Amino acid sequence: MPELPDVEGFRRVLAKAGGHRVDRVDVLDAGAIRGTSADTLRDAVHGHAFGTARRHGKWLICPIHVPGRKHRKADPSVIFHFGMTGELTWSQHDDGERHQHDRVAFVTGSGELRYRDMRKLHGIRLASDDHEVEVLLAGLGPDAADASRDQLRERAGSGQRRIKSALMDQATIAGLGNLLVDEILWRVHLHPSTLTRDLSDRDWRTLHRTMHATLRKAMSAGRVPDHSSWLTGHRDDRDGACPRCGNVLRHTRVGGRNTAWCPSCQPPGDHD
DNA sequence: CGGCCTGTTCCGAT
DNA sequence: GATCGGAACAGGCC
């Protein structure tokens, strides 16, 4: 599930827990904690409060602090990554029992924040201070929702790389996943295997503009919409049709990932 | 049982 | 060096 827009939705969920003192950290499955121990995470968060979380690509970073005091650079942060199946929920009072795949619950007086993840491909990390946060995220490119056109073009490069692989690479720009990349490339009429060196100035301009427009809509929904006017709304149908021209969508493998595209709107070139 | 999956990392082959 | 494909991680579904 989680790509940039989903994580943006989780950021809004986390905001509901903000400011409340965490009375208890229930580690239901320590396998969801990465790079530190359950005890260390508990000790760092217990008695503290979540501050204002920020998102970078698919990562969610939440500074914690002593209630009533601002976060300081030497304070730790809790860092969430949701892999393919993770999510964050906020439950107040008794509404909603815990789910089988809830791995960690942060319990406050007014509700509890639950990290749920079926597959546990990633998990929750703890950075002991702001510098450690920077080190952890150092390999990521600029957030896709903020990246300028020049950043996009320069970081994606102009070599023999396929545009889908470049956009999926979190070191190029951070936040796009398999569904979003297919959606964006479909909107700009580019075949996913197009080599970056074959993109024109105009291609880069429309790619950048469309990336932002697509992200903006998806972020407000807190997910990649499966609306019928989106490619994403048809990619899982058998014989799914292109919402623009009606041709039957094709599914191939690009960059090791299932890739949906329209043979009429996105004709393959002499690549692949 | 085999294969597939909205993510990332690592390793080896070109 | 650049780029790619496959495997691994883990668990549920078809």
Coordinates of all heavy atoms in Angstrom, one line a residue, chain A residues 78-119:
Chain A
V78 N 11.4 8.9 16.5 CA 11.0 7.6 16.0 C 10.7 7.7 14.5 O 10.2 8.7 14.0 CB 9.6 7.2 16.7 CG1 9.1 5.9 16.2 CG2 9.9 7.2 18.2
I79 N 11.2 6.7 13.8 CA 11.2 6.7 12.4 C 10.4 5.5 11.8 O 10.8 4.4 12.2 CB 12.6 6.8 11.8 CG1 13.3 8.0 12.3 CG2 12.6 6.8 10.3 CD1 14.7 8.2 12.0
F80 N 9.4 5.8 11.0 CA 8.6 4.7 10.5 C 8.8 4.5 9.0 O 8.9 5.4 8.3 CB 7.1 5.0 10.7 CG 6.7 5.3 12.1 CD1 6.8 6.6 12.7 CD2 6.1 4.3 12.9 CE1 6.3 6.8 14.0 CE2 5.7 4.5 14.2 CZ 5.8 5.8 14.7
H81 N 8.9 3.2 8.6 CA 8.9 2.9 7.2 C 7.8 1.7 7.1 O 7.8 0.8 7.9 CB 10.2 2.5 6.6 CG 10.2 2.4 5.1 ND1 9.5 1.5 4.4 CD2 10.8 3.2 4.2 CE1 9.6 1.7 3.1 NE2 10.4 2.8 3.0
F82 N 7.0 1.8 6.1 CA 5.8 0.9 6.0 C 5.9 -0.2 5.1 O 5.0 -1.0 4.9 CB 4.6 1.8 5.8 CG 4.4 2.8 6.8 CD1 4.9 4.1 6.7 CD2 3.7 2.5 8.0 CE1 4.7 5.1 7.7 CE2 3.5 3.5 9.0 CZ 4.1 4.7 8.8
G83 N 7.1 -0.3 4.4 CA 7.3 -1.5 3.5 C 6.1 -1.5 2.5 O 5.7 -0.5 2.0
M84 N 5.6 -2.7 2.2 CA 4.5 -2.9 1.3 C 3.2 -2.9 2.0 O 2.1 -2.8 1.3 CB 4.7 -4.2 0.5 CG 5.7 -4.0 -0.7 SD 5.9 -5.6 -1.5 CE 6.0 -5.2 -3.1
T85 N 3.2 -3.2 3.2 CA 1.9 -3.6 3.9 C 1.6 -2.8 5.2 O 0.7 -3.2 5.9 CB 1.8 -5.1 4.1 OG1 2.9 -5.5 4.9 CG2 1.7 -5.9 2.9
G86 N 2.5 -1.8 5.5 CA 2.3 -1.2 6.8 C 1.3 -0.1 6.8 O 0.9 0.5 5.8
E87 N 0.8 0.2 8.0 CA 0.0 1.4 8.2 C 0.0 1.9 9.6 O 0.5 1.2 10.5 CB -1.5 1.1 7.7 CG -2.2 0.1 8.4 CD -3.5 -0.2 7.8 OE1 -4.4 0.7 7.8 OE2 -3.8 -1.4 7.4
L88 N -0.6 3.0 9.8 CA -0.6 3.6 11.1 C -2.1 4.0 11.4 O -2.8 4.5 10.6 CB 0.2 4.9 11.1 CG 1.0 5.3 12.3 CD1 1.8 4.2 12.9 CD2 2.0 6.5 11.9
T89 N -2.5 3.6 12.6 CA -3.9 3.9 13.0 C -3.9 4.6 14.3 O -3.0 4.5 15.1 CB -4.8 2.7 13.1 OG1 -4.4 1.9 14.1 CG2 -4.8 1.9 11.8
W90 N -5.0 5.4 14.6 CA -5.2 6.1 15.8 C -6.5 5.7 16.4 O -7.5 5.8 15.7 CB -5.1 7.6 15.6 CG -5.5 8.4 16.8 CD1 -6.6 9.2 16.9 CD2 -4.8 8.6 18.0 NE1 -6.7 9.8 18.1 CE2 -5.5 9.5 18.9 CE3 -3.6 8.1 18.6 CZ2 -5.1 9.9 20.1 CZ3 -3.2 8.5 19.8 CH2 -4.0 9.4 20.6
S91 N -6.6 5.1 17.5 CA -7.8 4.6 18.1 C -8.1 5.3 19.4 O -7.2 5.3 20.3 CB -7.8 3.1 18.4 OG -7.5 2.4 17.2
Q92 N -9.2 5.8 19.6 CA -9.6 6.5 20.8 C -10.5 5.6 21.7 O -11.3 4.9 21.1 CB -10.3 7.8 20.6 CG -9.3 8.8 20.0 CD -10.0 10.2 19.8 OE1 -11.0 10.3 19.2 NE2 -9.4 11.2 20.4
H93 N -10.3 5.7 23.0 CA -11.1 4.9 23.9 C -11.1 3.4 23.5 O -10.1 2.8 23.2 CB -12.5 5.5 24.0 CG -12.4 7.0 24.1 ND1 -11.8 7.6 25.1 CD2 -12.9 8.0 23.3 CE1 -11.9 8.9 25.0 NE2 -12.5 9.2 23.8
D94 N -12.3 2.9 23.3 CA -12.4 1.5 23.0 C -12.8 1.2 21.6 O -13.1 0.1 21.2 CB -13.4 0.8 23.9 CG -12.9 0.9 25.4 OD1 -11.7 0.8 25.6 OD2 -13.8 0.9 26.3
D95 N -12.7 2.2 20.8 CA -13.2 2.0 19.4 C -12.1 1.2 18.6 O -11.0 1.7 18.3 CB -13.5 3.3 18.7 CG -12.3 4.2 18.4 OD1 -11.3 4.0 19.2 OD2 -12.3 4.9 17.5
G96 N -12.4 0.0 18.3 CA -11.5 -0.8 17.5 C -10.6 -1.6 18.3 O -9.8 -1.1 19.1
E97 N -10.7 -2.9 18.2 CA -9.8 -3.8 18.9 C -8.5 -3.8 18.1 O -8.4 -3.5 16.9 CB -10.4 -5.2 18.9 CG -11.8 -5.1 19.5 CD -12.2 -6.5 20.0 OE1 -11.6 -7.5 19.7 OE2 -13.1 -6.5 20.9
R98 N -7.5 -4.3 18.7 CA -6.2 -4.4 18.1 C -6.3 -5.5 17.0 O -7.1 -6.5 17.1 CB -5.1 -4.8 19.0 CG -4.7 -3.6 19.9 CD -3.5 -3.8 20.7 NE -3.2 -2.7 21.5 CZ -2.4 -2.7 22.6 NH1 -1.9 -3.9 23.0 NH2 -2.2 -1.6 23.3
H99 N -5.5 -5.3 16.0 CA -5.5 -6.2 14.8 C -4.4 -7.2 14.9 O -3.4 -6.9 15.6 CB -5.3 -5.3 13.5 CG -5.4 -6.0 12.3 ND1 -4.4 -6.7 11.7 CD2 -6.5 -6.2 11.4 CE1 -4.8 -7.3 10.6 NE2 -6.0 -7.0 10.3
Q100 N -4.6 -8.3 14.3 CA -3.6 -9.4 14.3 C -2.2 -8.9 13.9 O -1.2 -9.4 14.4 CB -4.1 -10.5 13.3 CG -3.1 -11.6 13.2 CD -3.6 -12.5 12.0 OE1 -4.5 -12.2 11.3 NE2 -2.8 -13.6 11.8
H101 N -2.2 -7.9 13.0 CA -0.9 -7.5 12.6 C -0.4 -6.2 13.2 O 0.6 -5.6 12.7 CB -0.9 -7.4 11.0 CG -1.1 -8.7 10.4 ND1 -2.1 -8.9 9.4 CD2 -0.6 -9.9 10.5 CE1 -2.1 -10.1 9.0 NE2 -1.2 -10.8 9.7
D102 N -1.1 -5.7 14.2 CA -0.5 -4.6 15.0 C 0.7 -5.0 15.7 O 0.7 -6.0 16.4 CB -1.6 -4.1 16.0 CG -2.7 -3.3 15.4 OD1 -2.5 -2.8 14.3 OD2 -3.8 -3.3 16.0
R103 N 1.8 -4.4 15.4 CA 3.1 -4.8 16.0 C 3.6 -4.0 17.2 O 4.2 -4.5 18.1 CB 4.2 -4.7 14.9 CG 3.8 -5.4 13.6 CD 3.6 -6.9 13.7 NE 3.4 -7.5 12.4 CZ 3.1 -8.8 12.3 NH1 3.0 -9.6 13.3 NH2 2.9 -9.3 11.1
V104 N 3.3 -2.7 17.2 CA 3.6 -1.9 18.3 C 2.5 -0.9 18.5 O 1.9 -0.3 17.6 CB 4.9 -1.1 18.0 CG1 5.3 -0.1 19.1 CG2 6.1 -2.0 17.7
A105 N 2.1 -0.7 19.8 CA 1.1 0.3 20.1 C 1.7 1.3 21.1 O 2.3 0.9 22.1 CB -0.1 -0.4 20.7
F106 N 1.5 2.6 20.8 CA 1.9 3.7 21.7 C 0.7 4.2 22.4 O -0.2 4.8 21.8 CB 2.6 4.8 20.9 CG 3.8 4.3 20.2 CD1 3.7 3.9 18.8 CD2 5.1 4.3 20.8 CE1 4.8 3.5 18.1 CE2 6.2 4.0 20.1 CZ 6.1 3.5 18.7
V107 N 0.6 3.9 23.7 CA -0.7 4.2 24.4 C -0.6 5.5 25.2 O 0.3 5.7 26.0 CB -0.9 3.0 25.4 CG1 -2.3 3.2 26.1 CG2 -0.9 1.7 24.7
T108 N -1.6 6.4 24.9 CA -1.6 7.6 25.6 C -3.0 7.7 26.4 O -3.8 6.8 26.2 CB -1.6 8.8 24.6 OG1 -2.9 9.0 24.0 CG2 -0.5 8.6 23.6
G109 N -3.1 8.7 27.1 CA -4.4 8.9 27.9 C -5.6 9.1 27.0 O -6.7 8.8 27.4
S110 N -5.4 9.6 25.8 CA -6.5 9.9 24.9 C -6.7 8.9 23.7 O -7.6 9.1 22.9 CB -6.5 11.3 24.4 OG -5.2 11.8 24.4
G111 N -5.8 8.0 23.6 CA -5.9 7.1 22.5 C -4.6 6.4 22.3 O -3.6 6.6 23.0
E112 N -4.6 5.5 21.3 CA -3.4 4.8 21.0 C -3.0 4.8 19.6 O -3.9 4.6 18.7 CB -3.3 3.4 21.7 CG -4.2 2.4 21.1 CD -4.0 1.0 21.8 OE1 -4.2 1.0 23.1 OE2 -3.8 0.0 21.1
L113 N -1.8 4.9 19.3 CA -1.2 4.9 17.9 C -0.7 3.5 17.7 O 0.1 3.0 18.5 CB -0.1 5.9 17.9 CG 0.6 6.1 16.5 CD1 -0.4 6.9 15.6 CD2 1.9 6.9 16.6
R114 N -1.2 2.9 16.6 CA -0.8 1.5 16.3 C -0.1 1.4 15.0 O -0.5 1.9 14.0 CB -2.0 0.6 16.3 CG -2.8 0.6 17.6 CD -4.1 -0.2 17.4 NE -4.9 -0.1 18.6 CZ -6.2 -0.3 18.7 NH1 -6.9 -0.6 17.6 NH2 -6.8 -0.3 19.8
Y115 N 1.1 0.8 15.1 CA 1.8 0.4 13.8 C 1.5 -1.0 13.4 O 1.7 -1.9 14.2 CB 3.3 0.6 14.1 CG 4.2 0.2 12.9 CD1 4.4 1.1 11.9 CD2 4.7 -1.1 12.8 CE1 5.2 0.7 10.8 CE2 5.5 -1.5 11.7 CZ 5.7 -0.6 10.7 OH 6.5 -1.0 9.6
R116 N 0.8 -1.1 12.3 CA 0.4 -2.4 11.8 C 1.2 -2.7 10.5 O 1.4 -1.9 9.7 CB -1.1 -2.3 11.4 CG -1.7 -3.6 10.9 CD -3.1 -3.4 10.5 NE -3.9 -3.0 11.6 CZ -5.2 -2.6 11.6 NH1 -5.8 -2.7 10.4 NH2 -5.8 -2.2 12.7
D117 N 1.6 -4.0 10.4 CA 2.3 -4.4 9.2 C 2.3 -5.9 9.1 O 2.9 -6.6 9.9 CB 3.8 -3.8 9.3 CG 4.5 -4.1 8.0 OD1 3.8 -4.3 6.9 OD2 5.8 -4.0 7.9
M118 N 1.7 -6.3 8.1 CA 1.6 -7.8 7.9 C 3.0 -8.4 7.6 O 3.4 -9.3 8.2 CB 0.6 -8.1 6.7 CG 0.5 -9.6 6.5 SD -0.7 -9.9 5.1 CE 0.3 -9.5 3.7
R119 N 3.6 -7.9 6.6 CA 4.8 -8.6 6.1 C 6.1 -8.2 6.8 O 7.1 -8.9 6.6 CB 5.0 -8.3 4.6 CG 4.0 -9.1 3.8 CD 4.1 -8.7 2.3 NE 5.3 -9.2 1.7 CZ 5.7 -9.0 0.5 NH1 4.9 -8.3 -0.3 NH2 6.8 -9.5 0.0

